[in-house]
Amino acid sequence: MIYSYFGRIRQIMIILALQVLVFDYIHLWGYATPLLGVMVVVYSPLSDNRVTNLVMSFMAGIVMDMFTNSPGVAAASMTLASFVQHPLLEMMVPKDSDENMLPSWHTMGMSSYSAYLAIMLAVYHVAYFVLEVFSFINPVDMIISIVSSYVLSFILAMSFELFRFAKKGNA
């Protein structure tokens, strides 16, 4: 149990470091920025306490906000994604699955995991960009930013999952 908490904290630190040190500096065509900090929430197991997940997601969002000068945008978006994650995961996971199951291709199947990831990324991206812009004066730019960042994030998240899946397959 202690190892799982340390492993989870290490995973959160790696995801946040990648987000603030690498992905925050990618802006394809001035619109598409991969926002993969939400993977902290996506990789949360179903058996975790919901309050603990909400607090961890909020804290991870605060860390992202400190490095990106966005006051509360990532924290609010991560908390919303964490709030949606548990009921969504309960709908997507087979009923006879292990209670300590970690969301992945291996445990959920490719189609269920892809749908779960797509919904989680959509919730996060819409919340993030609506809160960041906080205005509907130029909705076309906001929609372009949401869609392009969502597509780029989905491609990168599926690539990471493919890497995780291949790594577990070789072990």
Side-chain angles (χ1 to χ4, degrees):
M1 178 95 103
I2 292 173
Y3 175 75
S4 66
Y5 284 121
F6 286 129
R8 180 96 172 102
I9 290 170
R10 187 187 76 194
Q11 179 187 47
I12 290 170
M13 289 173 53
I14 290 170
I15 291 170
L16 292 179
L18 281 172
Q19 180 65 48
V20 300
L21 297 174
V22 178
F23 298 132
D24 281 346
Y25 295 100
I26 298 173
H27 304 289
L28 299 179
W29 305 287
Y31 292 105
T33 301
L35 299 173
L36 292 177
V38 73
M39 298 309 284
V40 167
V41 178
V42 170
Y43 291 148
S44 296
L46 185 60
S47 63
D48 275 1
N49 184 354
R50 289 192 71 189
V51 175
T52 305
N53 270 350
L54 285 168
V55 171
M56 286 180 75
S57 299
F58 178 77
M59 296 302 283
I62 288 290
V63 169
M64 287 173 47
D65 284 332
M66 286 189 321
F67 285 99
T68 60
N69 268 349
S70 57
V73 173
S77 303
M78 292 272 280
T79 305
L80 176 65
S82 181
F83 186 74
V84 170
Q85 185 252 357
H86 191 74
L88 181 64
L89 199 54
E90 280 184 342
M91 276 189 336
M92 299 275 194
V93 170
K95 300 298 180 210
D96 60 345
S97 64
D98 184 24
E99 188 175 301
N100 293 326
M101 180 209 67
L102 295 171
S104 70
W105 274 356
H106 183 67
T107 57
M108 294 176 68
M110 190 165 134
S111 62
S112 292
Y113 180 77
S114 298
Y116 164 69
L117 180 64
I119 293 169
M120 290 295 292
L121 286 175
V123 166
Y124 181 76
H125 280 77
V126 169
Y128 186 89
F129 283 106
V130 166
L131 290 173
E132 183 182 52
V133 173
F134 209 67
S135 166
F136 293 105
I137 292 175
N138 199 352
V140 174
D141 281 344
M142 185 175 68
I143 291 170
I144 291 171
S145 292
I146 291 171
V147 171
S148 61
S149 294
Y150 170 79
V151 169
L152 183 59
S153 297
F154 186 79
I155 290 169
L156 285 172
M158 290 302 274
S159 300
F160 286 150
E161 185 60 28
L162 181 63
F163 176 73
R164 278 182 61 203
F165 187 69
K167 185 178 168 185
K168 287 186 183 207
N170 290 338

